[in-house]
C-alpha cells in the first residue's frame, strides 16, 4: 500500500460549468522507494451553498444581485416582473486573513470562499397559488440553503410600488405569508400520503405534524422544534419558511449609515422571527461596481460608512454566519485557499471538502492557528516553538485553522 504524504498546498480547483472539481497531484513513495504521481479528477466539493434573494417586485432585488455579483446579469427595471428567469451568481466571502496568508507565503494564487446567490423574480400576493408565475419561482427558493428577503425601506415617487404605497412591515409579512401558505399546502399533501403508507418513516410523520401545527398558528415553519431524525426526514421537502432568513432593508443612500423608522420596525419583526437585518442601499452598491477600492472607500466614507461595514460585505458575512459556517485555510507558495465547512466538523470531514479520498484515507492533520502562524512569521518558526499540532480523527476544526492533511490511498 502506498503512503501518500499530501500537501494541500498542491491542490488546485478547476471550475467546470459552475461546478468545482478538485484536481490534486499527490506525491507518494512505494515500498521500493520509487516516486509516483497520482491525479484525482472526480472529487467534487460538497459545500455548495446557495442563498435566494426574494421580495416584492421593484424593491431592488435585481439591483442588489448585480451589485453582489459585480455584474449586470439580472435585468433591473422600473416595472413588475422584469426578472422572468432566476439569475445565479457567485459572491466571494470577504476575508482579510486569506490575503495575509497569501502574502506571507508569496502564493501564486489566492482563492477565497464563495456563496452562490439566486435572484428570484418578484413575488406577489397569491404567489403560493400561482399568481405572478409564483409556483415557478417558489420552486427556485426550495433549492436554497438560506433566504435574503429584500424589503423596500425608502420613499421614491419615481419607483413604482406593486401595491401603490411603501410599508415595510406589510410587504415583509406578505412575502412571509405566501411562503408559509406554500409550505402548508405541501405539508398537508405529504402528511396525507405518509398516513396512508404503512411503511412510512414515523419520524417524518412526527415532523410533519409539528410543522403543520406551527404553520396553522401563522408562524414560519422554522419555529417547529424538531430533533435530528425528524429534521432529516423532511429535509427533501425544502420548506420555504423553515429556511434561515436575513432581511435586507433597502434604504436611500442618505440613510445607509443611520437607517430610518421603517428599518427599526423591520428589526422588531425580525427579532420576533429569529431573523437578522442588514441595512443596504442597492443603488449605492450598484454605483460602487464601477469604482476602484480607493474610490469606493472615499465614496462610502462620504456617506458615513466604512468598506468593512458596507451593506454588501455585511450581507455576505451575515449569510455565512447564519448558515453556521466557518473557514479553514491551506496555504503555500502555489496557492492560499479558504475552505468552507460547517461548524463542528471533524478533521476528516473537513478534508473531504477538498477531495473524498482525503476523508477516506485520513491519517492526521498538521494544524496551526492563523494567529500563531502570523505571530511567528513562518511555519518553520511555528514548528520550532511547538505551535504546529498533529491532530487525529476526533479533532474538531476551529475557525482560522491552517491545515496540511496527510492520508493513505
Amino acid at each position: 500500500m502506498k503512503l501518500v504524504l499530501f500537501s494541500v498546498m498542491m491542490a488546485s480547483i478547476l471550475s467546470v460549468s459552475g461546478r468545482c472539481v478538485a484536481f490534486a497531484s499527490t506525491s507518494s513513495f512505494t515500498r521500493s522507494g520509487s516516486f509516483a504521481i497520482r491525479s484525482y479528477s472526480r472529487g467534487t466539493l460538497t459545500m455548495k451553498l446557495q442563498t435566494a434573494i426574494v421580495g416584492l417586485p421593484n424593491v431592488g432585488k435585481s439591483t442588489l444581485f448585480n451589485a453582489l455579483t459585480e455584474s449586470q446579469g439580472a435585468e433591473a427595471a422600473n416595472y413588475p416582473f422584469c426578472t422572468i428567469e432566476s439569475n445565479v451568481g457567485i459572491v466571494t466571502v470577504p476575508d482579510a486573513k486569506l490575503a495575509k496568508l497569501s502574502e506571507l507565503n508569496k502564493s501564486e494564487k489566492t482563492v477565497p470562499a464563495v456563496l452562490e446567490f439566486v435572484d428570484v423574480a418578484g413575488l406577489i400576493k397569491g404567489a403560493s397559488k400561482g399568481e405572478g408565475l409564483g409556483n415557478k419561482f417558489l420552486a427556485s427558493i426550495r433549492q436554497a440553503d438560506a433566504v435574503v428577503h429584500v424589503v423596500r425601506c425608502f420613499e421614491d415617487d419615481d419607483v413604482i410600488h406593486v401595491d401603490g404605497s411603501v410599508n415595510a412591515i406589510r410587504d415583509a409579512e406578505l412575502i412571509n405569508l405566501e411562503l408559509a401558505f406554500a409550505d402548508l399546502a405541501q405539508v398537508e399533501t405529504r402528511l396525507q400520503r405518509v398516513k396512508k403508507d404503512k411503511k412510512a418513516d414515523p419520524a417524518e410523520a412526527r415532523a410533519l405534524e409539528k410543522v403543520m401545527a406551527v404553520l396553522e398558528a401563522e408562524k414560519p415553519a422554522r419555529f417547529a422544534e424538531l430533533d435530528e431524525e425528524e429534521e432529516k426526514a423532511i429535509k427533501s421537502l425544502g420548506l420555504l419558511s423553515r429556511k434561515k432568513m436575513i432581511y435586507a432593508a433597502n434604504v436611500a443612500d442618505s440613510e445607509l449609515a443611520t437607517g430610518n423608522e421603517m428599518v427599526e420596525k423591520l428589526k422588531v419583526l425580525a427579532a420576533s422571527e429569529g431573523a437578522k437585518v442588514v441595512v443596504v442601499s442597492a443603488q449605492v452598491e450598484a454605483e460602487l461596481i464601477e469604482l476602484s477600492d480607493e474610490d469606493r472607500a472615499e465614496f462610502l466614507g462620504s456617506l458615513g460608512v466604512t468598506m468593512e461595514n458596507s451593506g454588501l460585505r455585511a450581507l455576505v458575512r451575515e449569510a455565512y454566519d447564519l448558515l453556521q459556517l466557518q473557514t479553514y485555510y491551506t496555504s503555500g507558495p502555489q496557492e492560499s485557499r479558504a475552505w468552507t465547512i460547517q461548524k463542528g466538523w471533524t478533521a476528516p470531514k473537513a478534508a473531504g471538502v477538498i477531495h473524498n479520498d482525503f476523508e477516506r484515507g485520513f491519517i492526521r492533520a498538521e494544524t496551526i492557528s492563523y494567529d500563531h502562524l502570523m505571530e511567528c512569521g513562518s511555519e518553520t518558526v511555528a514548528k520550532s516553538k511547538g505551535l504546529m499540532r498533529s491532530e487525529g480523527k476526533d479533532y474538531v476544526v476551529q475557525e482560522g485553522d491552517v491545515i496540511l492533511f496527510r492520508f493513505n490511498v
Side-chain angles (χ1 to χ4, degrees):
M1 182 174 72
K2 300 177 182 179
L3 174 63
V4 181
L5 302 182
F6 179 78
S7 169
V8 172
M9 294 178 285
M10 297 176 66
S12 61
I13 295 296
L14 176 64
S15 180
V16 181
S17 302
R19 296 191 177 189
C20 291
V21 183
F23 284 82
S25 296
T26 65
S27 301
S28 61
F29 290 89
T30 63
R31 288 181 179 177
S32 62
S34 61
F35 180 82
I37 296 292
R38 179 170 180 177
S39 296
Y40 294 90
S41 59
R42 299 186 61 83
T44 56
L45 295 183
T46 58
M47 292 299 293
K48 181 183 178 183
L49 304 160
Q50 192 177 84
T51 300
I53 303 177
V54 305
L56 289 171
N58 288 355
V59 296
K61 298 186 314 304
S62 294
T63 302
L64 185 63
F65 172 84
N66 288 337
L68 271 168
T69 58
E70 297 194 2
S71 72
Q72 296 299 320
E75 185 175 359
N78 187 22
Y79 56 86
F81 309 117
C82 65
T83 302
I84 300 302
E85 298 292 338
S86 296
N87 299 285
V88 180
I90 302 297
V91 179
T92 61
V93 178
D95 192 338
K97 291 180 180 178
L98 180 62
K100 291 181 179 178
L101 280 173
S102 188
E103 182 181 352
L104 178 69
N105 288 309
K106 298 180 174 59
S107 303
E108 295 177 9
K109 288 172 51 182
T110 303
V111 186
V114 297
L115 289 174
E116 187 174 276
F117 279 84
V118 179
D119 175 33
V120 180
L123 303 175
I124 62 171
K125 186 175 182 179
S128 59
K129 299 177 181 179
E131 294 295 328
L133 301 176
N135 286 334
K136 178 179 180 180
F137 300 128
L138 290 175
S140 298
I141 306 170
R142 294 195 191 283
Q143 307 304 315
D145 300 288
V147 173
V148 172
H149 184 168
V150 182
V151 181
R152 179 173 168 176
C153 294
F154 66 90
E155 298 278 1
D156 188 338
D157 293 337
D158 293 330
V159 180
I160 298 169
H161 191 288
V162 70
D163 286 331
S165 62
V166 178
N167 184 320
I169 301 303
R170 177 203 64 201
D171 294 351
E173 290 181 336
L174 189 154
I175 296 297
N176 290 342
L177 196 58
E178 291 301 324
L179 299 181
F181 281 158
D183 283 346
L184 184 57
Q186 187 181 24
V187 169
E188 286 178 334
T189 301
R190 182 59 187 166
L191 186 56
Q192 288 175 2
R193 292 178 181 175
V194 169
K195 286 183 176 179
K196 293 178 182 179
D197 185 357
K198 294 181 179 180
K199 296 182 180 179
D201 183 356
E204 183 179 7
R206 294 196 306 271
L208 291 170
E209 288 173 347
K210 289 179 181 179
V211 170
M212 180 174 284
V214 168
L215 292 170
E216 289 179 336
E218 299 184 353
K219 295 180 180 180
R222 59 180 169 273
F223 275 50
E225 296 184 4
L226 308 182
D227 60 32
E228 186 175 347
E229 187 180 10
E230 293 166 346
E231 190 75 62
K232 184 178 180 180
I234 63 167
K235 184 178 180 180
S236 62
L237 294 179
L239 296 177
L240 305 172
S241 66
R242 190 156 182 81
K243 298 182 185 298
K244 295 183 178 180
M245 180 177 286
I246 301 171
Y247 286 104
N250 189 13
V251 301
D253 56 0
S254 60
E255 296 174 325
L256 183 57
T258 61
N260 57 35
E261 185 178 351
M262 284 185 278
V263 173
E264 294 307 312
K265 290 180 179 179
L266 189 60
K267 287 180 178 179
V268 174
L269 175 65
S272 71
E273 298 176 345
K276 295 186 177 183
V277 175
V278 174
V279 179
V280 301
S281 174
Q283 191 57 48
V284 166
E285 299 294 348
E287 293 177 21
L288 291 175
I289 295 175
E290 306 299 328
L291 303 178
S292 65
D293 285 346
E294 184 178 344
D295 289 339
R296 288 183 186 187
E298 183 178 347
F299 180 37
L300 288 171
S302 70
L303 298 174
V305 181
T306 65
M307 284 277 284
E308 286 303 314
N309 295 318
S310 67
L312 290 190
R313 284 177 176 256
L315 182 58
V316 173
R317 283 199 305 268
E318 287 292 355
Y320 210 66
D321 290 342
L322 193 67
L323 292 169
Q324 287 291 291
L325 306 175
Q326 67 180 33
T327 303
Y328 77 84
Y329 303 96
T330 58
S331 185
Q334 282 194 326
E335 176 185 283
S336 288
R337 183 184 290 265
W339 299 92
T340 300
I341 61 171
Q342 294 282 167
K343 292 181 179 178
W345 277 16
T346 59
K349 195 168 185 179
V353 174
I354 301 175
H355 194 284
N356 294 335
D357 282 352
F358 294 14
E359 180 175 6
R360 285 194 293 267
F362 179 88
I363 298 175
R364 63 182 181 275
E366 295 183 1
T367 307
I368 183 172
S369 73
Y370 167 83
D371 289 338
H372 284 155
L373 180 57
M374 297 309 293
E375 287 172 9
C376 293
S378 74
E379 186 178 299
T380 302
V381 174
K383 286 182 177 179
S384 69
K385 292 186 176 182
L387 297 174
M388 177 72 79
R389 311 183 310 276
S390 181
E391 302 288 0
K393 293 183 177 180
D394 295 332
Y395 176 67
V396 176
V397 175
Q398 301 298 305
E399 172 68 32
D401 277 351
V402 182
I403 306 177
L404 180 143
F405 292 107
R406 299 188 183 276
F407 71 103
N408 276 322
V409 175

